[in-house]
Amino acid sequence: MKLSVLALLFSSFLFAQTQYPKDYFRPPLDIPMQLSGNFGELRPNHFHAGFDLKTNQKEGLNVYAIADGYVSRIKISTFGNGKCIYITHPNGYTSVYGHLQTTVGPIQDYVKKTHYQEKAYEIEMFPKPDELPVTKGQLIALSGNTGSSEGPHLHFEIRDTKTEFVINPIFFGFDQNIKDTKKPTLSGLYVYPLDNATVNQSKQPLLVNMTLQKDGTYLAGKVKANGKIGFGINAVDTDDVSFNKNGVFNVSTFLNGNQNYNYQFNTYSFDEMRYINAFIDYPRYKKTSQRVQKLFMKTPFALSIIKTDSLRGIISPQPNLASTYRIEVSDYFGNLNSITVPIEYDTATPLIEPETTESKYLVRYNKDSNFEKDNMSVFFPAGTFYDDFNLNFDVKNNKIYIHDDTVPVHSNFTITIKDTLYPESLRDKLYIGKGNSYNGTIRKGDVFTAKAKILGQYGLVLDTIAPVIKITKPVEGKWISNQKKIEFVISDSLSGIKSYNGYLNGSWILFEYENKNRKITHTFDDQYLTEGENFLKLEVVDNVGNSTIFETQFFRSQQK
């Protein structure tokens, strides 16, 4: 990791300009391109990996292969990109199409066959190059709203096939499909005192006033500081058509005319995604939902889009030397907005002291740490956190208190709890949870362990309550010859649903699961139906093994 970080710290800020093909790919939709989300947009725990393309607020639009190639991966999931297709192209790139309603043609035949072979809705397939070839403009799917989508749209990515780095689709000629004459919007400037510094008589971060100038730029109020400081901004970008508040493309900062920090959303790996929690002011985000983009690194972290000098964007005002700090924010089309910040050295007595945390423990981000009390413990491997911090840790009332969720976590830590309350007969129904939320738990005798990525209060949760199954339209004893689908709502109040399986006349059948409304749907297939009476069975199991079985019978005529 140290080598990766050091590679970021260099004096030249020139990004390698890869020459991407501009006219090789066509758009994946046949309607005008409008973005509801762009590449690099700030999302929970990740940077957005592609474009979110509007689909006129509806599902079922045709989705096309953007060039010749072959389907190299298909993933069907209840979260993330939902139903998703990957196409590998001969020019070294892979295109990705997510949140699909359904695949079509030979691709759908392949998917359906795999569902029934594996007897599962969530599946992942890696077809060979000769199994599912596609041509440019071929219909491959219909747009949808599956997975973690918050509304109908198409998630669209382009990746480097060899490295699997995601690449900003704007580089591939799609800028010709987007009109943008608007400069990014700057709505907030923050200054951060670091290492017990004082800024404008405060040892806490402050919002800095900005005044709009006649030329459209901003002039900030004077910043007076003693010690190391850094800055952060609230910034978004819009275009002429979509009107959505999207992420900015490029940010550069200059101290007395010399560039000292820069990031550009061009390409990055999935391994870097979670560094967004070091990239933003995470405590402010948790408290206010504002994502302030920091323009400094207090502790180095390996996010490749950032290029900086050896001081990592940190500024140390000097006596008798006024400085000028400038922030430039621009989009791909060259529309630019800027803030000029005058900085002076100051020794005034601070009026606002730093926030304090009641804590007995210091956690070093680059060292292993283990904390134990009574029958509970937590272990943090080196690299769990981005910075050193004072940890609030305690065990009381059969709960383990591990600080709070305003401190971001980069990788898993381990919670261990030895049970002293429950009889052996109930221990298989216990899990470690934050509140009632389920964390994958391993039991060995009376000792339970679980991995977690969010700080907070954890404890053992007893779950003896079986899942609930509700049919949306009862069919018991009815003739339903014209009904195309049957639907259920399935839920579990504690550990959550682990699996479900449906059987029609003794044969496993596919139920598609939509997590947003907890609904599972089976589309009737003559292959599994019989003339007259049919028997349906549905079994749902939660994460600790509680199960519920629903059975019904209905009548159906196969005569057309």
Side-chain angles (χ1 to χ4, degrees), residues 1 35 69 84 107 111 131 141 144 177 214-215 253 268 272 282 286 309 328 378 389 399 414 472 480 537 546 552:
M1 179 176 175
L35 301 182
C84 189
I107 304 173
V111 170
E131 289 188 281
N177 304 90
K214 291 182 179 180
D215 62 359
T253 68
Y268 41 80
E272 300 177 68
Y282 190 83
K286 294 301 295 186
D309 62 10
E328 294 184 353
V378 60
F389 75 101
K399 303 289 184 183
T414 303
T472 59
I480 57 168
K537 176 182 176 181
N546 300 307
T552 190

Side-chain angles (χ1 to χ4, degrees), residues 318-383:
Q318 300 299 314
N320 304 316
L321 180 63
S323 297
T324 300
Y325 180 73
R326 189 172 81 256
I327 305 166
E328 294 184 353
V329 183
S330 59
D331 61 26
Y332 176 84
F333 299 90
N335 303 303
L336 184 145
N337 210 337
S338 68
I339 309 171
T340 299
V341 187
I343 301 174
E344 290 183 0
Y345 181 82
D346 184 42
T347 57
T349 302
L351 300 178
I352 303 174
E353 293 297 326
E355 287 190 47
T356 57
T357 301
E358 292 184 11
S359 170
K360 302 175 184 177
Y361 311 100
L362 174 64
V363 174
R364 301 284 187 185
Y365 81 95
N366 58 351
K367 292 185 178 181
D368 293 350
S369 299
N370 189 75
F371 300 93
E372 184 174 356
K373 182 178 178 182
D374 299 334
N375 60 324
M376 302 187 185
S377 66
V378 60
F379 173 68
F380 302 119

Side-chain angles (χ1 to χ4, degrees), residues 52 110 184 210 213 263 286 334 342 420 429-430 458 511 515:
D52 281 346
Y110 188 96
M210 298 187 302
Q213 305 298 291
Y263 54 85
K286 294 301 295 186
T420 59
K429 302 300 181 183
L430 292 170
Y458 290 83
F511 275 92
N515 179 67

Side-chain angles (χ1 to χ4, degrees), residues 201-230:
Q201 293 186 277
S202 173
K203 289 185 175 292
Q204 296 184 27
L206 294 176
L207 179 66
V208 181
N209 291 329
M210 298 187 302
T211 304
L212 183 65
Q213 305 298 291
K214 291 182 179 180
D215 62 359
T217 64
Y218 287 91
L219 176 64
K222 188 173 292 185
V223 170
K224 299 180 178 181
N226 181 0
K228 296 179 179 179
I229 60 173

